[in-house]
Amino acid sequence: MDRPFSVAVDQPVDEQLAHLRLLGRAAAAANDLPSLEQAAHLVLEDVCQHTGWPAGRLWTRSRPLPAGPDSPALVCTSVTYPDHASRGPVRPGAVAVPPVTGAVAEAASSRRVVWGAKAESWGPSTGQPDADAGLAFAFPVPAGDEVVAVLEFYGHQPGGAEEGLTELMGTVCHHLGRLVERLDVEAQLRHSERWHRLVMGSALDAIITSDAQGVIVAFNAGAERAFGYTEAEAVGQPLSCLMPSRFREAHAVGLARASRGANGDGVLVGRTTELTALHRDGEEFQIELALSEWTVDGELFYTGVVRDITERRQAEEDRSRFDHQLASRSLHDALTSLPNRALLLDRLEQALARAAREGTELALLSVNLDRFKAVNDSYGHHIGDELLVTAARRLEAAVAAGTTIARIGGDEFALLVDPGGPEEARLTAEQVSAAIAEPFVVDAMELLVTASVGMTSVTPGQGRPSADQFLRDAEIAREHSRRRGPGLTAVYDSNMRAGARARRTAEHELRVALQEGQLVLHYQPIVELASGSIVGVEALVRWEHPERGLLPPRDFVGLAEETGLIVPLGRWVLDEACRQGAAWQRNPTCSGGLRVSVNVSARQFQQPQWVDEVAASLLASGFNPALLVLEITESILMEDTETTSHRLVELRELGSRVAIDDFGTGYSSLGYLRRFPVDILKVDKSFIDGVAEGPHESALARAVIKLAATLHLDAVAEGVTTRRQVATLRRLRCRFAQGYHFARPQPVADLDALLAHQAVDLELSDATG
Ligand code: C2E
Ligand code: MG
Ligand code: MG
């Protein structure tokens, strides 16, 4: 445990900082440096600089203990003279070791600081800079119950036993003591590890020695275990009894050749070889043999270190069997064991060919589990996996035998109805929907999921699509039904392909828009209700489409999210908003700058480097991080909570603030409000609409505003359109508001005119919106 240190509040700031720095360096040295001497060297120098003492030295436990009854238990191992840099620190051993007496001995035995005793042994032999009678200051370094070292300083000024310095040095020495403890533990570990290795090494391997004729002369415990003979039984026997009979002849030939001094094929000396060995009970096993030869008084011996590698061989065989199984499994999905996309396409190809040949009908369904992603994100992959497996089993049970059911990807399945026309397809779709709509019970939780289904079929005479195209048609129909709502079924028609193409075109256009700067930001003021002053703005993206005019976010943000374009789009918005924020910061009409809120999509937020990008935008623009607000939605807080909270903490460290947008419309769990560092709740327009109506209509708005107050969060009322709403919100002590009543989102030029007035007129006539 680190010792807490205190810095007196009445200390001058510089001194406080110097103390902190010294303590920080001592703690870091204790954590990281590999020896007490290195750490002490740093510390001695720092302390000399801090106190003005000209020299300091370290005394440590002498190890090994020097001989002789009078030898000191402490020796000087490091000396530092920071003021005499040309002399440098004196290396341990370079100084004649003075006997331990005086301040050092006293500090070691009393475990107490010795303050300004007469310096005794700082004579010229220690390299002391000048020998007039100075003073010694000694500080014991404790570790456990022992004093393991002493720091000694030499000075001219008597000084006082200053409390601050004593405490500071106490902490410094505590850190050095920690270092000694750490080094002791590490040394012990190293020692026990070496011991362990030694024991295990001799225990695991069999070591057998034979003479030049191949007669066993030594047989260790490892060999007894490996071969089943006792040492007494083995010694005197030929080596060949340890190998299967079929190898014995070759062995004898090799031995004979070696004994003639001819290095032939059979000689294994100096190499590691894998061989088959024979156990006493007749069982063969695989060994690895490392053979060496040596001579004693001209007589030749062989020593073999033998390792049983049966298990390793077994593992290798298992692996190759496993690889083989993998190859066959590559046509099936590992989780559900259903055929995968590759196998489906293969069967589809054959089925389409046969249907064309024989003039039969064929149908294909593409199925997606709605809300699966939400389940997976909220409850974890383990629940998600179980849900998928159960869904797969239900599909198998629900549809007619002979229907191929494949898992195509994440939560996508496909069903091949062969033979089957539109009627069979519709029937199968109904069966699928019903099977999935039944509640799933996973881990004692009831989960409700629905299936979106798209289907397509071929009838004779219609031409023959490719397997790929056929599957894509079913998927296009499924996406079509998904866009209309969960749990629906759609039948593919060729217009859908046109729709899919149109979306691809839109995606392309949006990409171009990003590249060519067709996006703009409009800003909507956020007003402090008490004063009417504009305290901030929300940046809202618009697309200046070359043909279709100014497009609101609902016309393209969804598409950007679907396609991933939201990531570069969001990056642009952030850069642009920070740039504009910095411009307002410099503008004298906005004294103190304006808060700028930026909307962030889940997909953006999930990018690992997103917070770095926020930091980069801030840095590049010079916009004050404290003026940036990031608006996220409740759904983000429901996902992967660990990463989310990490991101939020990082944002807070940047100094920026986080708002929850459209608060109240998302998930109803409020637990996350306590868990995550958020600053602002933006109360959704749907609550504000009724706030000035009866007590029932306004109840939710009131509750949300109160909740914000309890959690010390700022509340911003969204979509305020009437004077009565303003009056009610003021009464409810909602601090901030935003809405057409005050101002619509507008380009920078228009907003600047408004800002010049500093405030909006709260009594403006009611807005429509
Ligand atoms: P939001 O973040 O909740 O933004 C507020 C929306 O409410 C804006 O719509 C604003 O024009 C509208 N609004 C404000 N006051 C009133 C009012 O009094 N009455 C009515 N009827 N509406 C009002 P807008 O600009 O169409 O933006 C819609 C949504 O698009 C935003 O909702 C936000 O979720 C999203 N969005 C806008 N810009 C971005 C962006 O840069 N990135 C991302 N990811 N999403 C954005
Ligand atoms: Mg917003
Ligand atoms: Mg909102």
Side-chain angles (χ1 to χ4, degrees), residues 54-381:
R57 50 189 179 180
L58 169 75
W59 297 76
T60 59
R61 285 181 295 195
S62 45
R63 222 180 310 156
L65 284 172
D70 306 326
S71 300
L74 291 169
V75 293
C76 176
T77 49
S78 180
V79 179
T80 305
Y81 295 104
D83 280 354
H84 295 254
S86 58
R87 306 180 61 136
V90 179
R91 285 203 330 277
V95 200
V97 178
V100 186
T101 54
V104 174
E106 198 185 322
S109 59
S110 70
R111 300 172 59 95
R112 287 228 295 278
V113 175
V114 176
W115 198 265
K118 188 173 167 307
E120 286 180 8
S121 49
W122 290 73
S125 64
T126 63
Q128 179 216 350
D130 65 75
D132 46 51
L135 297 167
F137 305 84
F139 303 91
V141 175
D145 297 334
E146 258 187 289
V147 172
V148 291
V150 174
L151 292 185
E152 185 195 17
F153 295 90
Y154 171 82
H156 300 286
Q157 311 295 327
E162 298 163 39
E163 208 179 293
L165 193 57
T166 309
E167 190 190 334
L168 176 74
M169 288 306 298
T171 309
V172 166
C173 289
H174 159 79
H175 283 308
L176 292 178
R178 239 177 7 96
L179 172 101
V180 173
E181 283 172 356
R182 169 170 68 80
L183 293 176
D184 279 354
V185 169
E186 282 173 10
Q188 263 169 28
L189 272 178
R190 266 198 306 278
H191 180 259
S192 59
E193 216 176 84
R194 211 179 308 134
W195 177 240
H196 186 70
R197 236 182 297 132
L198 207 68
V199 172
M200 290 308 285
S202 66
L204 278 181
D205 292 338
I207 302 172
I208 302 166
T209 302
S210 79
D211 61 15
Q213 286 70 48
V215 175
I216 297 172
V217 297
F219 201 76
N220 81 340
E224 290 183 333
R225 263 196 306 277
F227 290 90
Y229 298 99
T230 65
E231 187 188 2
E233 288 168 333
V235 169
Q237 298 297 317
L239 272 178
S240 57
C241 72
L242 305 178
M243 55 191 76
S245 52
R246 62 186 184 281
F247 298 118
R248 286 181 190 160
E249 198 176 320
H251 168 71
V253 171
L255 263 183
R257 213 187 281 169
S259 66
R260 286 199 308 272
N263 270 347
D265 294 342
V267 176
L268 309 173
V269 173
R271 292 192 282 141
T272 304
T273 328
E274 291 189 9
L275 296 170
T276 305
L278 183 68
H279 192 271
R280 177 184 193 158
D281 62 17
E283 189 103 27
E284 293 186 5
F285 61 105
Q286 298 300 315
I287 59 163
E288 189 182 78
L289 171 72
L291 196 63
S292 54
E293 59 178 20
W294 44 285
T295 47
V296 180
D297 297 336
E299 198 178 335
L300 184 68
F301 292 94
Y302 296 103
T303 292
V305 178
V306 174
R307 185 165 294 174
D308 184 342
I309 56 167
T310 315
E311 275 179 23
R312 194 207 299 167
R313 275 283 172 85
Q314 188 66 45
E316 281 164 7
E317 274 166 28
D318 286 352
R319 179 142 7 98
S320 83
R321 198 173 323 121
F322 181 69
D323 285 347
H324 182 73
Q325 283 173 355
L326 259 191
S328 78
R329 249 190 253 158
S330 72
L331 293 175
H332 287 85
D333 166 49
L335 181 66
T336 60
S337 312
L338 292 177
N340 64 10
R341 183 187 192 96
L343 184 53
L344 176 82
L345 285 176
D346 188 56
R347 289 198 187 159
L348 204 49
E349 197 66 64
Q350 292 171 21
L352 284 165
R354 197 173 50 248
R357 207 170 46 240
E358 296 171 5
T360 52
E361 290 179 317
L362 185 68
L364 183 68
L365 276 66
S366 170
V367 179
N368 182 277
L369 304 186
D370 308 316
R371 281 205 71 241
F372 172 78
K373 197 177 170 325
V375 168
N376 209 36
D377 289 343
S378 314
Y379 302 113
H381 296 290

Side-chain angles (χ1 to χ4, degrees), residues 538 540 599 631 660-663 682-685 718-719 738:
E538 176 172 3
L540 295 156
N599 292 285
E631 295 195 2
I660 302 185
D661 205 355
D662 307 337
F663 183 77
K682 297 196 74 175
V683 187
D684 191 65
K685 182 175 185 304
E718 288 192 271
Q738 173 182 359

